[in-house]
Amino acid sequence: MKLKRRALFCRVAATALSATVLLPSWALAGPPFRTDDPEPVDYQHYEFYTFTTGTHIGGDTSGVGPAWEFNYGLIPDGQFHVVAPMAFDSPAGGSSQWGYGDTELGFKYRFIQEDDKGWRPMVGVFPLVEVPTGDQSSGLGAGHVRVFLPVWLQKSFGDWTTYGGGGYWVNHGGGTMDQDYWFVGWLLQKKVTDKLVIGGEIFHQTADTIGGRDSTGFNLGAVYDFDEHNHLLVSAGAGLENASATNLYSWYLGYQITK
């Protein structure tokens, strides 16, 4: 009986730990990448995504899907942002869980416009708040409020665009082993045809749990425009540092409607 209880406790602890490791990986994104950009949706326009994204580590796969993201140009140079996800967690040797995850709210504001003829980049901020609406005990939520405070930069040169930056995650609380951490990333993409853009990013994140490990990874992705309103977004990647504990492989698949 004691051995069964110990095994059950270890399984629950492993599920909780995997949730704290994996949740941040899909909490922030500039679809279909983890690195974001400073460019908001145009004033009084919107974009809507239906997507799935997730990460696999040794002994666990978790993420969201289906999930929905809505961005609206609320003011000139500023957009409102919300993500409403269904989350999943599939620990090895344990039962899979699926249910509503943590809700994400944010506001992107561009305060420096890019100089098309010079070297001045576009610059903006995109603070995010993760509301703990998911069930932490099932591995579907962090169990406490989390806040991300980033600064993003972007510059275009013909068919090439590069952007990146990073910021600080306020991630402690709720009686968990979570701790605050930093995230930085950079991306380069190229417009290959009138309908296809391809790109790649590299990113680094410091440990988000007490006693956890830093992680470095990459993603390769593409955006295909069916027309001016309908778009397909895909990416896939893996970790380069401590991959078995942080990111053996990850993915994003989404459909975007713009207007």
Side-chain angles (χ1 to χ4, degrees):
M1 182 64 70
K2 290 183 178 179
L3 290 176
K4 289 183 178 180
R5 289 178 178 175
R6 183 176 298 175
L8 178 61
F9 173 79
C10 290
R11 182 175 296 176
V12 172
T15 300
L17 178 59
S18 66
T20 60
V21 170
L22 294 178
L23 281 170
S25 68
W26 54 258
L28 70 109
F33 299 102
R34 291 190 61 185
T35 304
D36 216 321
D37 63 66
E39 187 169 8
V41 176
D42 290 340
Y43 179 48
Q44 295 184 336
H45 287 254
Y46 71 83
E47 55 187 18
F48 176 78
Y49 302 82
T50 300
F51 69 95
T52 178
T53 183
T55 302
H56 175 72
I57 64 172
D60 194 275
T61 303
S62 68
V64 299
W68 302 272
E69 176 179 341
F70 180 74
N71 300 313
Y72 180 74
L74 193 61
I75 62 173
D77 294 315
Q79 75 172 42
F80 168 76
H81 163 86
V82 60
V83 175
M86 300 299 294
F88 62 85
D89 182 53
S90 299
S95 59
S96 297
Q97 303 292 328
W98 185 78
Y100 191 74
D102 289 348
T103 304
E104 181 175 278
L105 302 172
F107 189 82
K108 179 185 287 189
Y109 183 71
R110 175 178 57 197
F111 58 89
I112 296 179
Q113 180 59 274
E114 178 180 3
D115 181 359
D116 294 335
K117 298 181 180 180
W119 288 89
R120 186 181 70 237
M122 183 187 305
V123 185
V125 294
F126 193 6
L128 300 172
V129 177
E130 298 280 336
V131 183
T133 49
D135 183 0
Q136 179 194 10
S137 64
S138 298
L140 304 178
H144 57 85
V145 174
R146 303 191 305 132
V147 178
F148 186 43
L149 304 171
V151 177
W152 302 110
L153 299 85
Q154 176 176 302
K155 192 74 182 76
S156 296
F157 304 92
D159 291 334
W160 293 89
T161 298
T162 185
Y163 60 83
Y168 190 70
W169 274 96
V170 180
N171 185 51
H172 61 274
T176 68
M177 295 288 288
D178 292 350
Q179 67 177 10
D180 300 348
Y181 63 96
W182 291 91
F183 175 89
V184 293
W186 205 270
L187 178 143
L188 179 65
Q189 66 182 30
K190 185 180 190 300
K191 185 176 181 180
V192 180
T193 70
D194 289 339
K195 292 182 175 292
L196 179 64
V197 173
I198 61 173
E201 68 172 335
I202 188 166
F203 53 85
H204 178 77
Q205 177 180 303
T206 60
D208 56 16
T209 58
I210 298 172
R213 299 179 180 180
D214 292 1
S215 62
T216 302
F218 74 94
N219 281 309
L220 301 176
V223 177
Y224 184 80
D225 300 329
F226 295 104
D227 54 43
E228 62 177 324
H229 300 300
N230 297 274
H231 320 272
L232 179 68
L233 303 90
V234 297
S235 71
L240 300 171
E241 176 188 21
N242 300 317
S244 63
T246 61
N247 182 10
L248 283 172
Y249 63 83
S250 56
W251 74 89
Y252 180 101
L253 174 63
Y255 189 85
Q256 179 196 39
I257 299 172
T258 58
K259 189 173 180 182

